[in-house]
Amino acid sequence: MTKRALITGITGQDGSYLADLLLEKGYKVFGLRRRTSIPIMENIQHIEKEIEFIDGDLQDLSSLIHAVKISDPDEVYNLAAQSFVGTSWGQPILTGQATALSVTNMLEAVRIVKPDAKYYQASSSEMFGKVVETPQTETTPFYPRSPYGVAKVYGHWMTVNYRESYNMFACSGILFNHESPRRGIEFVTRKITDAVARIKQGLQSELRLGNLDALRDWGYAKDYVECMWLMLQQEQPDDYVIATGKTHSVRDFCEIAFGHVGLNYKDYVITDPKFFRAAEVDLLLGDPAKAINKLGWSPQKTTFEQLVYLMVDSDMEKVKRISN
């Protein structure tokens, strides 16, 4: 019997890779699509005809109830959110609505219509913020340092609450930074690789960044969505840290990215106070031991260097197409 899955945020980085994975596994995939004047379909245009889209919005409970009724899902993956940390200071109320309260709406829709569906919530390493221990595990206390991080904590605990209150199969994946060529251009990793491509092609002269010494645990999004799927294949619901267990600085990322095309980042990167966070998160490092041991997942499929090369090569191709 064909499994059915409903994905929110299907046009984003994670949603598109997850849709790829589920289609490969023979799922019938439904995607919740928010009405926009210009549809943003770049990440899923190669599989667009294989997905059944349902119009809806995470801030509109009635539309979510309708979406769950139409899709009748075995699995629900809630990936949609206002996901850019920097924007969350300028738009804290929107972030609270789109990233926090929307989780309750989605959980309610599942509880009302299809309470036996398995539910995945996209939690974030930003919940740890000003870390109280290193590395961070599933039991590390949260100390969010942005409106985005605070909103993610709400969504995380609401997922736990529905699991314990209604006996729902509800899991949270606490994903550390995960990147890819499909990453939004506003995120620092794509900002770097796009700039590398433009500088190499003579279309840009410099790159302005904030804290070059910030340390992050960076993995490949395509590898991480496999873990989301594995969580919902278990007999019991649980929460998992998904990470590589290794850190690299923004400076490291720059050095490898520029070096990949024969450039020295020091000649082009300028530190600009404008890009520093209002409350900085200096170090995030996850311990993926639980996911490795219980899910049989491996974080070593794609190395940090391979990830950077993938992103630079992709942006080089994009910039060449645009400039020709």
Side-chain angles (χ1 to χ4, degrees):
M1 190 171 173
T2 302
K3 276 192 172 183
R4 300 161 70 90
L6 173 62
I7 303 174
T8 74
I10 196 167
T11 60
Q13 169 186 256
D14 293 6
S16 64
Y17 280 119
L18 179 62
D20 285 337
L21 177 69
L22 296 183
L23 288 169
E24 287 171 11
K25 292 183 178 297
Y27 279 64
K28 171 66 176 173
V29 175
F30 297 82
L32 189 75
R33 179 170 57 186
R34 183 167 57 89
R35 178 76 178 91
T36 56
S37 56
I38 302 174
I40 304 169
M41 308 294 280
E42 181 182 0
N43 286 337
I44 57 169
Q45 59 188 4
H46 62 294
I47 53 172
E48 187 176 348
K49 293 180 180 177
E50 300 176 65
I51 298 167
E52 185 169 328
F53 294 97
I54 304 171
D55 289 334
D57 192 302
L58 286 179
Q59 298 181 54
D60 179 2
L61 177 58
S62 62
S63 72
L64 299 182
I65 289 173
H66 174 72
V68 177
K69 284 181 178 177
I70 293 295
S71 59
D72 188 27
D74 299 291
E75 299 169 7
V76 176
Y77 296 86
N78 187 32
L79 310 183
Q82 190 300 98
S83 60
F84 187 47
V85 175
T87 296
S88 73
W89 277 284
Q91 300 181 18
I93 295 172
L94 172 66
T95 300
Q97 292 168 338
T99 306
L101 290 173
S102 63
V103 179
T104 306
N105 286 338
M106 195 70 241
L107 285 163
E108 267 295 276
V110 173
R111 182 186 70 83
I112 291 167
V113 181
K114 192 73 184 292
D116 60 339
K118 293 184 175 183
Y119 176 91
Y120 171 85
Q121 173 59 31
S123 288
S124 167
S125 60
E126 289 289 335
M127 300 188 304
F128 296 120
K130 189 176 181 179
V131 298
V132 298
E133 67 178 8
T134 298
Q136 293 87 57
T137 71
E138 292 79 6
T139 59
T140 300
F142 300 134
Y143 194 147
R145 294 270 281 175
S146 66
Y148 171 79
V150 172
K152 279 295 186 181
V153 170
Y154 174 95
H156 179 86
W157 282 117
M158 192 57 74
T159 303
V160 173
N161 189 264
Y162 269 66
R163 180 169 71 216
E164 296 179 350
S165 299
Y166 302 113
N167 198 33
M168 289 172 61
F169 194 109
C171 299
S172 282
I174 307 174
L175 270 63
F176 280 65
N177 291 64
H178 47 293
E179 316 298 321
S180 76
R182 300 181 190 176
R183 190 53 137 161
I185 199 71
E186 70 273 19
F187 290 86
V188 67
T189 52
R190 265 302 302 291
K191 183 178 179 180
I192 293 168
T193 59
D194 177 69
V196 166
R198 291 179 181 278
I199 289 170
K200 184 65 176 177
Q201 295 297 318
L203 302 175
Q204 187 172 322
S205 60
E206 63 181 33
L207 170 62
R208 291 180 174 268
L209 296 172
N211 183 11
L212 296 182
D213 297 316
L215 292 165
R216 293 292 184 270
D217 186 326
W218 271 306
Y220 184 24
K222 188 176 181 180
D223 295 340
Y224 281 29
V225 299
E226 181 187 6
C227 226
M228 300 177 186
W229 177 77
L230 285 169
M231 288 182 211
L232 299 196
Q233 311 315 306
Q234 307 306 304
E235 290 188 8
Q236 297 297 325
D238 207 346
D239 306 321
Y240 297 86
V241 162
I242 309 303
T244 68
K246 299 177 181 179
T247 59
H248 299 274
S249 67
V250 176
R251 191 184 306 278
D252 293 336
F253 199 107
C254 288
E255 185 173 4
I256 294 169
F258 278 90
H260 187 49
V261 296
L263 300 176
N264 186 335
Y265 82 95
K266 294 179 181 178
D267 296 331
Y268 304 97
V269 175
I270 297 171
T271 301
D272 188 336
K274 182 174 72 174
F275 295 109
F276 279 75
R277 292 183 177 186
E280 190 60 62
V281 173
D282 296 313
L283 168 64
L284 291 174
L285 172 63
D287 180 356
K290 183 177 176 181
I292 293 170
N293 295 329
K294 286 198 169 186
L295 303 178
W297 178 70
S298 171
Q300 305 301 327
K301 288 183 179 179
T302 307
T303 68
F304 178 68
E305 289 78 10
Q306 288 171 333
L307 171 61
V308 178
Y309 297 160
L310 269 172
M311 294 178 67
V312 171
D313 290 343
S314 173
D315 277 325
M316 286 290 290
E317 288 181 16
K318 286 180 181 178
V319 171
K320 284 178 182 177
R321 283 200 305 271
I322 293 169
S323 58
N324 287 339

mmCIF file of all heavy atoms in Angstrom, residues 156-190:
data_model
loop_
_atom_site.group_PDB
_atom_site.id
_atom_site.type_symbol
_atom_site.label_atom_id
_atom_site.label_comp_id
_atom_site.label_asym_id
_atom_site.label_seq_id
_atom_site.Cartn_x
_atom_site.Cartn_y
_atom_site.Cartn_z
ATOM 1 N N HIS A 156 9.004 23.275 19.729
ATOM 2 C CA HIS A 156 9.584 22.019 20.217
ATOM 3 C C HIS A 156 8.791 21.479 21.407
ATOM 4 O O HIS A 156 8.383 20.311 21.418
ATOM 5 C CB HIS A 156 11.043 22.250 20.609
ATOM 6 C CG HIS A 156 11.725 21.024 21.145
ATOM 7 N ND1 HIS A 156 12.332 20.099 20.332
ATOM 8 C CD2 HIS A 156 11.882 20.568 22.422
ATOM 9 C CE1 HIS A 156 12.850 19.125 21.074
ATOM 10 N NE2 HIS A 156 12.584 19.392 22.340
ATOM 11 N N TRP A 157 8.568 22.329 22.392
ATOM 12 C CA TRP A 157 7.877 21.875 23.593
ATOM 13 C C TRP A 157 6.403 21.591 23.337
ATOM 14 O O TRP A 157 5.792 20.745 23.980
ATOM 15 C CB TRP A 157 8.044 22.878 24.732
ATOM 16 C CG TRP A 157 9.392 22.763 25.380
ATOM 17 C CD1 TRP A 157 10.374 23.697 25.429
ATOM 18 C CD2 TRP A 157 9.916 21.616 26.084
ATOM 19 N NE1 TRP A 157 11.482 23.214 26.100
ATOM 20 C CE2 TRP A 157 11.224 21.954 26.521
ATOM 21 C CE3 TRP A 157 9.415 20.347 26.375
ATOM 22 C CZ2 TRP A 157 12.018 21.057 27.233
ATOM 23 C CZ3 TRP A 157 10.209 19.454 27.090
ATOM 24 C CH2 TRP A 157 11.489 19.815 27.502
ATOM 25 N N MET A 158 5.802 22.304 22.379
ATOM 26 C CA MET A 158 4.418 22.005 22.037
ATOM 27 C C MET A 158 4.318 20.616 21.412
ATOM 28 O O MET A 158 3.356 19.874 21.667
ATOM 29 C CB MET A 158 3.872 23.070 21.079
ATOM 30 C CG MET A 158 2.360 23.004 20.908
ATOM 31 S SD MET A 158 1.427 23.163 22.455
ATOM 32 C CE MET A 158 1.617 24.915 22.770
ATOM 33 N N THR A 159 5.321 20.249 20.639
ATOM 34 C CA THR A 159 5.347 18.906 20.048
ATOM 35 C C THR A 159 5.459 17.845 21.133
ATOM 36 O O THR A 159 4.739 16.826 21.108
ATOM 37 C CB THR A 159 6.515 18.775 19.049
ATOM 38 O OG1 THR A 159 6.376 19.791 18.044
ATOM 39 C CG2 THR A 159 6.530 17.409 18.395
ATOM 40 N N VAL A 160 6.330 18.080 22.100
ATOM 41 C CA VAL A 160 6.447 17.162 23.243
ATOM 42 C C VAL A 160 5.119 17.077 23.985
ATOM 43 O O VAL A 160 4.656 15.993 24.377
ATOM 44 C CB VAL A 160 7.569 17.627 24.197
ATOM 45 C CG1 VAL A 160 7.571 16.786 25.470
ATOM 46 C CG2 VAL A 160 8.933 17.558 23.513
ATOM 47 N N ASN A 161 4.473 18.238 24.172
ATOM 48 C CA ASN A 161 3.218 18.287 24.919
ATOM 49 C C ASN A 161 2.125 17.472 24.219
ATOM 50 O O ASN A 161 1.368 16.733 24.881
ATOM 51 C CB ASN A 161 2.781 19.745 25.081
ATOM 52 C CG ASN A 161 1.621 19.876 26.035
ATOM 53 O OD1 ASN A 161 0.468 19.932 25.610
ATOM 54 N ND2 ASN A 161 1.914 19.919 27.318
ATOM 55 N N TYR A 162 2.020 17.589 22.906
ATOM 56 C CA TYR A 162 1.003 16.816 22.187
ATOM 57 C C TYR A 162 1.317 15.327 22.222
ATOM 58 O O TYR A 162 0.411 14.495 22.281
ATOM 59 C CB TYR A 162 0.877 17.318 20.745
ATOM 60 C CG TYR A 162 -0.161 18.403 20.589
ATOM 61 C CD1 TYR A 162 0.025 19.644 21.191
ATOM 62 C CD2 TYR A 162 -1.323 18.188 19.862
ATOM 63 C CE1 TYR A 162 -0.920 20.651 21.067
ATOM 64 C CE2 TYR A 162 -2.284 19.192 19.717
ATOM 65 C CZ TYR A 162 -2.071 20.421 20.337
ATOM 66 O OH TYR A 162 -3.024 21.414 20.213
ATOM 67 N N ARG A 163 2.584 14.995 22.190
ATOM 68 C CA ARG A 163 2.981 13.589 22.296
ATOM 69 C C ARG A 163 2.550 13.003 23.637
ATOM 70 O O ARG A 163 2.001 11.899 23.708
ATOM 71 C CB ARG A 163 4.508 13.481 22.132
ATOM 72 C CG ARG A 163 5.042 12.066 22.215
ATOM 73 C CD ARG A 163 6.491 12.028 21.776
ATOM 74 N NE ARG A 163 7.421 12.635 22.708
ATOM 75 C CZ ARG A 163 8.506 13.328 22.359
ATOM 76 N NH1 ARG A 163 8.775 13.535 21.075
ATOM 77 N NH2 ARG A 163 9.316 13.827 23.266
ATOM 78 N N GLU A 164 2.777 13.758 24.689
ATOM 79 C CA GLU A 164 2.485 13.252 26.034
ATOM 80 C C GLU A 164 1.022 13.404 26.414
ATOM 81 O O GLU A 164 0.486 12.595 27.177
ATOM 82 C CB GLU A 164 3.386 13.972 27.043
ATOM 83 C CG GLU A 164 4.877 13.680 26.822
ATOM 84 C CD GLU A 164 5.776 14.414 27.796
ATOM 85 O OE1 GLU A 164 5.276 15.296 28.536
ATOM 86 O OE2 GLU A 164 6.985 14.110 27.810
ATOM 87 N N SER A 165 0.347 14.434 25.894
ATOM 88 C CA SER A 165 -1.053 14.680 26.260
ATOM 89 C C SER A 165 -2.026 13.825 25.463
ATOM 90 O O SER A 165 -3.050 13.367 25.991
ATOM 91 C CB SER A 165 -1.399 16.154 26.037
ATOM 92 O OG SER A 165 -0.600 16.996 26.846
ATOM 93 N N TYR A 166 -1.723 13.615 24.182
ATOM 94 C CA TYR A 166 -2.664 12.928 23.294
ATOM 95 C C TYR A 166 -2.132 11.604 22.753
ATOM 96 O O TYR A 166 -2.758 10.994 21.884
ATOM 97 C CB TYR A 166 -3.035 13.847 22.126
ATOM 98 C CG TYR A 166 -3.639 15.156 22.569
ATOM 99 C CD1 TYR A 166 -2.960 16.361 22.376
ATOM 100 C CD2 TYR A 166 -4.895 15.200 23.194
ATOM 101 C CE1 TYR A 166 -3.506 17.571 22.780
ATOM 102 C CE2 TYR A 166 -5.452 16.410 23.611
ATOM 103 C CZ TYR A 166 -4.748 17.584 23.401
ATOM 104 O OH TYR A 166 -5.299 18.779 23.804
ATOM 105 N N ASN A 167 -0.961 11.209 23.225
ATOM 106 C CA ASN A 167 -0.348 9.953 22.786
ATOM 107 C C ASN A 167 -0.138 9.932 21.268
ATOM 108 O O ASN A 167 -0.277 8.893 20.611
ATOM 109 C CB ASN A 167 -1.198 8.747 23.222
ATOM 110 C CG ASN A 167 -0.415 7.443 23.176
ATOM 111 O OD1 ASN A 167 0.798 7.428 23.419
ATOM 112 N ND2 ASN A 167 -1.090 6.359 22.867
ATOM 113 N N MET A 168 0.194 11.091 20.725
ATOM 114 C CA MET A 168 0.472 11.178 19.294
ATOM 115 C C MET A 168 1.912 10.769 19.010
ATOM 116 O O MET A 168 2.792 10.946 19.848
ATOM 117 C CB MET A 168 0.233 12.608 18.794
ATOM 118 C CG MET A 168 -1.228 13.002 18.758
ATOM 119 S SD MET A 168 -1.477 14.768 18.375
ATOM 120 C CE MET A 168 -0.726 14.898 16.743
ATOM 121 N N PHE A 169 2.144 10.220 17.828
ATOM 122 C CA PHE A 169 3.516 9.920 17.394
ATOM 123 C C PHE A 169 4.103 11.216 16.848
ATOM 124 O O PHE A 169 3.986 11.528 15.658
ATOM 125 C CB PHE A 169 3.520 8.834 16.315
ATOM 126 C CG PHE A 169 4.884 8.254 16.063
ATOM 127 C CD1 PHE A 169 5.193 6.964 16.467
ATOM 128 C CD2 PHE A 169 5.874 9.001 15.437
ATOM 129 C CE1 PHE A 169 6.455 6.418 16.228
ATOM 130 C CE2 PHE A 169 7.136 8.474 15.201
ATOM 131 C CZ PHE A 169 7.426 7.188 15.605
ATOM 132 N N ALA A 170 4.688 11.993 17.749
ATOM 133 C CA ALA A 170 5.213 13.317 17.392
ATOM 134 C C ALA A 170 6.686 13.401 17.781
ATOM 135 O O ALA A 170 7.037 13.197 18.945
ATOM 136 C CB ALA A 170 4.417 14.420 18.082
ATOM 137 N N CYS A 171 7.534 13.711 16.803
ATOM 138 C CA CYS A 171 8.986 13.780 17.004
ATOM 139 C C CYS A 171 9.501 15.167 16.652
ATOM 140 O O CYS A 171 8.928 15.866 15.810
ATOM 141 C CB CYS A 171 9.705 12.798 16.080
ATOM 142 S SG CYS A 171 9.284 11.079 16.312
ATOM 143 N N SER A 172 10.602 15.543 17.279
ATOM 144 C CA SER A 172 11.322 16.749 16.884
ATOM 145 C C SER A 172 12.745 16.376 16.504
ATOM 146 O O SER A 172 13.417 15.644 17.231
ATOM 147 C CB SER A 172 11.362 17.774 18.020
ATOM 148 O OG SER A 172 10.134 18.457 18.130
ATOM 149 N N GLY A 173 13.181 16.890 15.371
ATOM 150 C CA GLY A 173 14.573 16.755 14.982
ATOM 151 C C GLY A 173 15.281 18.061 15.271
ATOM 152 O O GLY A 173 14.932 19.097 14.696
ATOM 153 N N ILE A 174 16.243 18.033 16.187
ATOM 154 C CA ILE A 174 16.994 19.250 16.529
ATOM 155 C C ILE A 174 18.175 19.318 15.570
ATOM 156 O O ILE A 174 19.273 18.827 15.855
ATOM 157 C CB ILE A 174 17.450 19.227 18.000
ATOM 158 C CG1 ILE A 174 16.258 18.965 18.919
ATOM 159 C CG2 ILE A 174 18.133 20.552 18.373
ATOM 160 C CD1 ILE A 174 16.635 18.772 20.386
ATOM 161 N N LEU A 175 17.935 19.903 14.420
ATOM 162 C CA LEU A 175 18.945 19.936 13.367
ATOM 163 C C LEU A 175 19.902 21.109 13.546
ATOM 164 O O LEU A 175 19.471 22.247 13.730
ATOM 165 C CB LEU A 175 18.281 20.030 11.996
ATOM 166 C CG LEU A 175 17.949 18.684 11.333
ATOM 167 C CD1 LEU A 175 16.927 17.905 12.152
ATOM 168 C CD2 LEU A 175 17.424 18.899 9.917
ATOM 169 N N PHE A 176 21.174 20.791 13.515
ATOM 170 C CA PHE A 176 22.199 21.830 13.499
ATOM 171 C C PHE A 176 22.323 22.341 12.066
ATOM 172 O O PHE A 176 21.658 21.843 11.159
ATOM 173 C CB PHE A 176 23.513 21.280 14.056
ATOM 174 C CG PHE A 176 23.525 21.257 15.565
ATOM 175 C CD1 PHE A 176 22.643 20.442 16.270
ATOM 176 C CD2 PHE A 176 24.387 22.068 16.295
ATOM 177 C CE1 PHE A 176 22.621 20.430 17.655
ATOM 178 C CE2 PHE A 176 24.378 22.076 17.683
ATOM 179 C CZ PHE A 176 23.484 21.250 18.365
ATOM 180 N N ASN A 177 23.146 23.354 11.856
ATOM 181 C CA ASN A 177 23.209 24.012 10.545
ATOM 182 C C ASN A 177 23.398 22.987 9.431
ATOM 183 O O ASN A 177 24.314 22.168 9.483
ATOM 184 C CB ASN A 177 24.348 25.019 10.512
ATOM 185 C CG ASN A 177 24.082 26.205 11.410
ATOM 186 O OD1 ASN A 177 23.980 26.058 12.630
ATOM 187 N ND2 ASN A 177 23.954 27.382 10.822
ATOM 188 N N HIS A 178 22.542 23.052 8.444
ATOM 189 C CA HIS A 178 22.641 22.137 7.300
ATOM 190 C C HIS A 178 22.417 22.951 6.039
ATOM 191 O O HIS A 178 21.466 23.704 5.921
ATOM 192 C CB HIS A 178 21.654 20.982 7.421
ATOM 193 C CG HIS A 178 20.256 21.378 7.788
ATOM 194 N ND1 HIS A 178 19.936 21.906 9.024
ATOM 195 C CD2 HIS A 178 19.108 21.338 7.078
ATOM 196 C CE1 HIS A 178 18.645 22.165 9.053
ATOM 197 N NE2 HIS A 178 18.116 21.846 7.885
ATOM 198 N N GLU A 179 23.331 22.785 5.112
ATOM 199 C CA GLU A 179 23.417 23.654 3.943
ATOM 200 C C GLU A 179 23.355 22.832 2.663
ATOM 201 O O GLU A 179 23.431 21.606 2.680
ATOM 202 C CB GLU A 179 24.723 24.455 3.986
ATOM 203 C CG GLU A 179 25.071 25.041 5.351
ATOM 204 C CD GLU A 179 24.048 26.028 5.874
ATOM 205 O OE1 GLU A 179 23.521 26.826 5.066
ATOM 206 O OE2 GLU A 179 23.753 26.010 7.082
ATOM 207 N N SER A 180 23.267 23.539 1.546
ATOM 208 C CA SER A 180 23.224 22.877 0.238
ATOM 209 C C SER A 180 23.162 23.945 -0.849
ATOM 210 O O SER A 180 22.965 25.126 -0.547
ATOM 211 C CB SER A 180 21.982 21.982 0.126
ATOM 212 O OG SER A 180 20.824 22.776 -0.098
ATOM 213 N N PRO A 181 23.285 23.545 -2.106
ATOM 214 C CA PRO A 181 23.087 24.507 -3.191
ATOM 215 C C PRO A 181 21.679 25.091 -3.222
ATOM 216 O O PRO A 181 21.446 26.115 -3.866
ATOM 217 C CB PRO A 181 23.356 23.674 -4.452
ATOM 218 C CG PRO A 181 24.280 22.594 -3.996
ATOM 219 C CD PRO A 181 23.820 22.259 -2.611
ATOM 220 N N ARG A 182 20.723 24.461 -2.534
ATOM 221 C CA ARG A 182 19.343 24.955 -2.498
ATOM 222 C C ARG A 182 19.094 25.903 -1.321
ATOM 223 O O ARG A 182 17.971 26.339 -1.101
ATOM 224 C CB ARG A 182 18.365 23.776 -2.426
ATOM 225 C CG ARG A 182 18.456 22.824 -3.604
ATOM 226 C CD ARG A 182 17.439 21.696 -3.488
ATOM 227 N NE ARG A 182 17.680 20.659 -4.493
ATOM 228 C CZ ARG A 182 16.996 19.529 -4.587
ATOM 229 N NH1 ARG A 182 15.989 19.289 -3.740
ATOM 230 N NH2 ARG A 182 17.282 18.637 -5.515
ATOM 231 N N ARG A 183 20.112 26.224 -0.568
ATOM 232 C CA ARG A 183 19.982 27.134 0.569
ATOM 233 C C ARG A 183 19.599 28.525 0.083
ATOM 234 O O ARG A 183 20.047 28.969 -0.972
ATOM 235 C CB ARG A 183 21.319 27.191 1.318
ATOM 236 C CG ARG A 183 21.292 27.905 2.668
ATOM 237 C CD ARG A 183 20.236 27.353 3.554
ATOM 238 N NE ARG A 183 20.701 27.173 4.929
ATOM 239 C CZ ARG A 183 19.877 27.047 5.960
ATOM 240 N NH1 ARG A 183 18.573 27.116 5.779
ATOM 241 N NH2 ARG A 183 20.344 26.839 7.173
ATOM 242 N N GLY A 184 18.774 29.225 0.852
ATOM 243 C CA GLY A 184 18.374 30.588 0.505
ATOM 244 C C GLY A 184 19.576 31.521 0.465
ATOM 245 O O GLY A 184 20.519 31.382 1.245
ATOM 246 N N ILE A 185 19.539 32.483 -0.427
ATOM 247 C CA ILE A 185 20.675 33.375 -0.664
ATOM 248 C C ILE A 185 20.960 34.264 0.541
ATOM 249 O O ILE A 185 22.068 34.793 0.693
ATOM 250 C CB ILE A 185 20.421 34.238 -1.928
ATOM 251 C CG1 ILE A 185 21.734 34.816 -2.452
ATOM 252 C CG2 ILE A 185 19.396 35.318 -1.656
ATOM 253 C CD1 ILE A 185 22.650 33.828 -3.076
ATOM 254 N N GLU A 186 19.991 34.433 1.445
ATOM 255 C CA GLU A 186 20.206 35.301 2.606
ATOM 256 C C GLU A 186 21.024 34.635 3.707
ATOM 257 O O GLU A 186 21.518 35.300 4.611
ATOM 258 C CB GLU A 186 18.843 35.772 3.179
ATOM 259 C CG GLU A 186 18.032 34.688 3.864
ATOM 260 C CD GLU A 186 17.142 33.909 2.901
ATOM 261 O OE1 GLU A 186 17.399 33.945 1.682
ATOM 262 O OE2 GLU A 186 16.194 33.248 3.377
ATOM 263 N N PHE A 187 21.184 33.313 3.645
ATOM 264 C CA PHE A 187 21.960 32.602 4.653
ATOM 265 C C PHE A 187 23.450 32.738 4.363
ATOM 266 O O PHE A 187 23.871 32.763 3.207
ATOM 267 C CB PHE A 187 21.550 31.124 4.696
ATOM 268 C CG PHE A 187 20.168 30.904 5.250
ATOM 269 C CD1 PHE A 187 19.060 30.987 4.422
ATOM 270 C CD2 PHE A 187 19.978 30.636 6.591
ATOM 271 C CE1 PHE A 187 17.782 30.797 4.924
ATOM 272 C CE2 PHE A 187 18.696 30.441 7.112
ATOM 273 C CZ PHE A 187 17.604 30.528 6.272
ATOM 274 N N VAL A 188 24.250 32.786 5.411
ATOM 275 C CA VAL A 188 25.658 33.154 5.261
ATOM 276 C C VAL A 188 26.415 32.222 4.318
ATOM 277 O O VAL A 188 27.267 32.668 3.553
ATOM 278 C CB VAL A 188 26.367 33.240 6.636
ATOM 279 C CG1 VAL A 188 26.476 31.882 7.313
ATOM 280 C CG2 VAL A 188 27.735 33.881 6.492
ATOM 281 N N THR A 189 26.084 30.929 4.346
ATOM 282 C CA THR A 189 26.828 29.996 3.496
ATOM 283 C C THR A 189 26.584 30.269 2.012
ATOM 284 O O THR A 189 27.524 30.316 1.220
ATOM 285 C CB THR A 189 26.448 28.542 3.827
ATOM 286 O OG1 THR A 189 25.011 28.420 3.794
ATOM 287 C CG2 THR A 189 26.961 28.149 5.200
ATOM 288 N N ARG A 190 25.321 30.451 1.628
ATOM 289 C CA ARG A 190 25.014 30.764 0.223
ATOM 290 C C ARG A 190 25.480 32.170 -0.133
ATOM 291 O O ARG A 190 25.875 32.432 -1.266
ATOM 292 C CB ARG A 190 23.514 30.659 -0.043
ATOM 293 C CG ARG A 190 23.004 29.341 -0.595
ATOM 294 C CD ARG A 190 23.617 28.878 -1.896
ATOM 295 N NE ARG A 190 23.475 29.803 -3.016
ATOM 296 C CZ ARG A 190 22.362 30.104 -3.646
ATOM 297 N NH1 ARG A 190 21.209 29.556 -3.284
ATOM 298 N NH2 ARG A 190 22.359 30.933 -4.664
#
